Amino acid sequence: QGFYQIQVLVCARCADKPTTSLTECFSVFASQALQLQAGNKHCLVARSMCYLKLGDTENSLRDAEASLQNDKTFSKGLYQKAETLYTMGDFEFALVYYHRGHRLRPELQKFRLGIQKAQEAIDNSVGSPSSVKLENKGDLCFLSRQAESKKVKQKLQVKAPKKDQKQQSKVGPIRNEKTERQLLGELYADKAYLEKLLKDADLIKSSTKYGMTVEDLILGGINYLDTRTEFWQQQKPIYARVRDRKLMQQRWLPERKRKPSEVARYILKSMEEIDMLLTSSCPEASCKKAEHVLKTIQSWSEDEIPNKNELIGNLYSCIGNAQIEMGQMGAALQSHKMDLEIARENDLPDAVSRALDNIGRVYARIGKFQQAIDTWEEKIPLAKTSLEKTWLFHEIGRCYLELDEAAEAQDYGEKSLQSAEEEGDVEWQLNASVLVAQAQVKLQDFQSAVMNFEKALEKAKLIHNDAAQQAIIIALDDANKDFIEELRAEQRRERLESFRGTNSPGNRCVKQRRKFCFKSKIVKSSSPQ
């Protein structure tokens, strides 16, 4: 457990601190962790992350590979090695390890993003495969991808004099100044400042308290910026940046007609992102994305999107669902009503069913149970599957229970139970049985309630739902007590009625007559003959 705590501390510090703090973080925490147990793969990955953030790619790669030495399927080690290779500019090998990690852990988003960025970097460096035309002019098998990559890198490498790097700034920039400025961005001013410091002879001869000369520090900074420039040039060359800028400018021009494949790809990707954000507990981001896509699609013509109205309604539904999660019930109700209006205007029964479903949910959330019942009862004829009917009947029954209309609640609960049994869904059988039992408790039919609670308890045990079992046991105990109390009260009433029956005037006359006859017999038998 200590290793994981240290790893968290290392990663947390490395994420937001400057270089000096990174060094301190590494020396204090990573070294302590590895002293406790040498070769721990989690600590090796953590130290590799620190090295990578410090710009020491060689040590980062060494630790990443060491973490995989005993476990080739260690996903964190595979990802860290891929990230290090990517930072080193070995995009092809990075892509290999991103793919390996993705095959082992396909649910992790970081491997998919890694594959995407590595593939994009390769395409930007050597060109898209579709732009390359191979000719059959002999055996080309001896040419490997490594050799190809090496040739590309050689073209991008900078030939600088090795003897005196101070003369480098005097000779001129290592690349075209405009290209370098575009690649470095804000860091270009920092590099220019460092090159200016090299001209100060007195400054560069001085040394720090650690024994390093200022000249070495300055040259190290310049070398790091050169390395980054080379990496960014490989990752996204200037021609690729210009091309992407032009494509972005031309992508959504009104006069340009979009291809159906482009439209379909954009819509599919956008809807997946909206759904993913909502399921990942990011309703605000999901809502903003849906609103942006809605504005974009509304500006397109129906020729480009044949099902434009259906898609707009779907987006209103997504916006409404996100607003429900954010607690904006009024706005959510309006969004779902827009979805319903569009669905009715365009005769879309599935969309009508979806909108009624969501509107009912909003009414139920804000406590307007009668409106929810009216909305969901309108949806009943549109329900297609037994499972959909199960949920619908259950929710209507719940609303009736909230309104203290127990008879209707019991009726819908029994309908829900019947549909759940048809579907064979044990969990919904449990929910429906509980609803029926609760309605019967309110109707004071305790014997039936006990029976249904016992059925629900069996279903809860069957699906191993411990929380439901505990709740049902408590409710069953209360129902049993009420049932026993009802039996006792009934017995008391019977005894009381029996007592009242024996002491009625008619019964008293009969008793007196019997008593008189008995006495007269005794008198006659005792008289002398």
Side-chain angles (χ1 to χ4, degrees):
Q1 187 179 1
F3 296 123
Y4 292 108
Q5 293 174 351
I6 293 170
Q7 180 190 0
V8 169
L9 289 170
V10 171
C11 296
R13 287 203 173 194
C14 290
D16 303 315
K17 299 295 182 180
T19 304
T20 53
S21 297
L22 287 173
T23 309
E24 178 187 356
C25 170
F26 160 71
S27 60
V28 173
F29 291 101
S31 298
Q32 289 179 4
L34 289 169
Q35 284 175 3
L36 291 172
Q37 182 178 348
N40 182 274
K41 58 185 180 181
H42 295 282
C43 295
L44 285 168
V45 168
R47 190 168 71 173
S48 176
M49 291 168 63
C50 291
Y51 276 133
L52 189 60
K53 289 184 178 293
L54 287 166
D56 190 352
T57 54
E58 291 183 4
N59 282 325
S60 176
L61 183 61
R62 183 194 63 196
D63 280 348
E65 288 176 339
S67 70
L68 295 168
Q69 189 172 1
N70 296 323
D71 184 5
K72 301 295 183 183
T73 62
F74 182 44
S75 61
K76 291 183 180 179
L78 287 171
Y79 180 73
Q80 185 58 30
K81 184 172 181 179
E83 285 286 285
T84 305
L85 289 169
Y86 181 84
T87 306
M88 294 172 70
D90 290 334
F91 305 125
E92 296 90 343
F93 288 106
L95 182 62
V96 169
Y97 284 95
Y98 283 131
H99 272 296
R100 288 183 184 177
H102 180 63
R103 281 196 297 271
L104 290 169
R105 299 291 300 277
E107 75 279 5
L108 295 180
Q109 179 75 5
K110 60 184 181 180
F111 285 116
R112 290 196 292 271
L113 294 176
I115 291 170
Q116 184 179 351
K117 71 179 182 181
Q119 187 62 59
E120 185 178 346
I122 292 169
D123 291 343
N124 286 330
S125 296
V126 301
S128 175
S130 60
S131 63
V132 179
K133 294 182 179 180
L134 296 178
E135 297 180 4
N136 189 9
K137 294 184 177 179
D139 188 7
L140 301 177
C141 295
F142 65 92
L143 289 175
S144 65
R145 291 183 68 185
Q146 274 186 287
E148 245 179 88
S149 177
K150 188 175 181 181
K151 185 183 289 186
V152 173
K153 290 178 184 178
Q154 285 175 351
K155 292 180 181 178
L156 299 172
Q157 282 178 354
V158 181
K159 294 182 180 180
K162 297 181 180 178
K163 293 183 179 179
D164 190 2
Q165 293 192 27
K166 290 184 289 182
Q167 298 177 357
Q168 196 170 340
S169 60
K170 297 179 182 179
V171 174
I174 57 176
R175 290 185 180 86
N176 180 277
E177 183 179 353
K178 183 179 178 181
T179 302
E180 194 174 41
R181 187 187 295 273
Q182 287 179 333
L183 289 168
L184 285 174
E186 296 179 357
L187 294 176
Y188 182 78
D190 297 329
K191 184 180 179 184
Y193 177 72
L194 291 174
E195 290 175 344
K196 184 179 178 181
L197 290 179
L198 280 177
K199 298 178 181 178
D200 191 335
D202 295 331
L203 176 66
I204 61 177
K205 289 179 181 178
S206 59
S207 60
T208 65
K209 61 181 180 180
Y210 298 106
M212 296 181 64
T213 62
V214 174
E215 182 180 18
D216 292 335
L217 291 173
I218 294 173
L219 291 175
I222 293 174
N223 183 54
Y224 176 77
L225 291 175
D226 287 339
T227 305
R228 290 294 86 200
T229 305
E230 181 181 344
F231 169 72
W232 290 324
Q233 171 67 7
Q234 294 177 50
Q235 184 190 32
K236 194 106 172 176
I238 294 299
Y239 75 85
R241 297 169 188 241
V242 174
R243 178 196 63 200
D244 288 351
R245 195 180 306 116
K246 288 181 179 179
L247 287 174
M248 288 298 295
Q249 291 172 353
Q250 296 176 1
R251 179 166 292 177
W252 308 122
L253 289 178
E255 63 273 8
R256 178 178 175 267
K257 189 173 182 180
R258 286 161 287 274
K259 296 179 182 179
S261 59
E262 289 180 357
V263 174
R265 192 160 49 246
Y266 171 76
I267 292 171
L268 181 61
K269 183 180 178 183
S270 300
M271 297 304 292
E272 286 177 351
E273 289 178 2
I274 292 167
D275 184 61
M276 183 186 70
L277 289 168
L278 187 61
T279 54
S280 302
S281 301
C282 302
E284 293 182 8
S286 177
C287 186
K288 288 180 181 178
K289 178 69 177 178
E291 288 173 347
H292 173 73
V293 176
L294 178 62
K295 290 179 182 178
T296 303
I297 290 176
Q298 284 175 334
S299 65
W300 294 351
S301 66
E302 292 186 2
D303 294 335
E304 294 175 297
I305 315 176
N307 58 339
K308 179 179 177 180
N309 291 324
E310 183 179 357
L311 185 59
I312 289 174
N314 198 350
L315 286 167
Y316 272 118
S317 177
C318 293
I319 293 169
N321 289 333
Q323 289 167 337
I324 289 175
E325 296 300 320
M326 290 189 288
Q328 300 173 3
M329 296 302 172
L333 188 61
Q334 292 303 316
S335 297
H336 289 305
K337 284 184 175 180
M338 284 292 297
D339 181 24
L340 180 61
E341 182 181 346
I342 293 169
R344 284 175 172 165
E345 287 177 356
N346 295 275
D347 192 21
L348 302 169
D350 290 341
V352 170
S353 178
R354 176 190 65 213
L356 290 172
D357 187 351
N358 290 323
I359 291 170
R361 282 200 301 136
V362 176
Y363 278 135
R365 287 277 190 98
I366 61 179
K368 295 184 177 181
F369 300 111
Q370 189 58 55
Q371 288 91 325
I373 290 170
D374 296 338
T375 304
W376 278 328
E377 285 183 342
E378 186 180 352
K379 173 185 163 64
I380 290 175
L382 300 173
K384 293 182 178 180
T385 64
S386 298
L387 189 59
E388 188 177 3
K389 290 178 182 178
T390 299
W391 176 88
L392 191 57
F393 291 145
H394 179 271
E395 294 305 303
I396 295 173
R398 279 276 159 215
C399 289
Y400 273 122
L401 198 63
E402 292 290 338
L403 294 172
D404 287 329
E405 297 181 20
E408 288 80 2
Q410 181 182 355
D411 182 45
Y412 273 103
E414 289 171 350
K415 289 180 181 179
S416 176
L417 181 58
Q418 182 180 354
S419 298
E421 288 173 348
E422 291 175 3
E423 186 67 25
D425 192 308
V426 179
E427 188 170 359
W428 275 111
Q429 290 174 23
L430 162 64
N431 295 331
S433 298
V434 169
L435 173 60
V436 172
Q438 288 176 326
Q440 288 167 341
V441 167
K442 288 201 171 187
L443 292 170
Q444 295 186 349
D445 185 2
F446 300 114
Q447 185 176 2
S448 300
V450 168
M451 292 172 60
N452 281 294
F453 274 131
E454 287 176 347
K455 290 179 182 178
L457 185 59
E458 291 176 4
K459 304 296 182 185
K461 291 178 179 177
L462 191 62
I463 61 175
H464 306 290
N465 190 333
D466 295 333
Q469 289 182 49
Q470 295 299 323
I472 292 169
I473 288 171
I474 294 171
L476 180 60
D477 185 48
D478 292 338
N480 271 317
K481 289 177 181 177
D482 292 334
F483 181 49
I484 293 170
E485 185 63 32
E486 185 184 36
L487 289 175
R488 288 175 178 172
E490 188 176 349
Q491 289 174 356
R492 285 196 296 270
R493 284 196 302 270
E494 289 178 355
R495 286 197 298 269
L496 183 61
E497 288 176 0
S498 176
F499 177 74
R500 286 175 179 173
T502 55
N503 289 295
S504 63
N507 283 337
R508 283 199 300 270
C509 292
V510 170
K511 286 180 179 180
Q512 288 175 1
R513 207 176 297 117
R514 288 176 179 173
K515 186 177 181 181
F516 176 77
C517 295
F518 179 73
K519 285 183 177 180
S520 61
K521 285 181 180 179
I522 294 175
V523 171
K524 286 180 181 179
S525 61
S526 60
S527 62
Q529 297 293 331

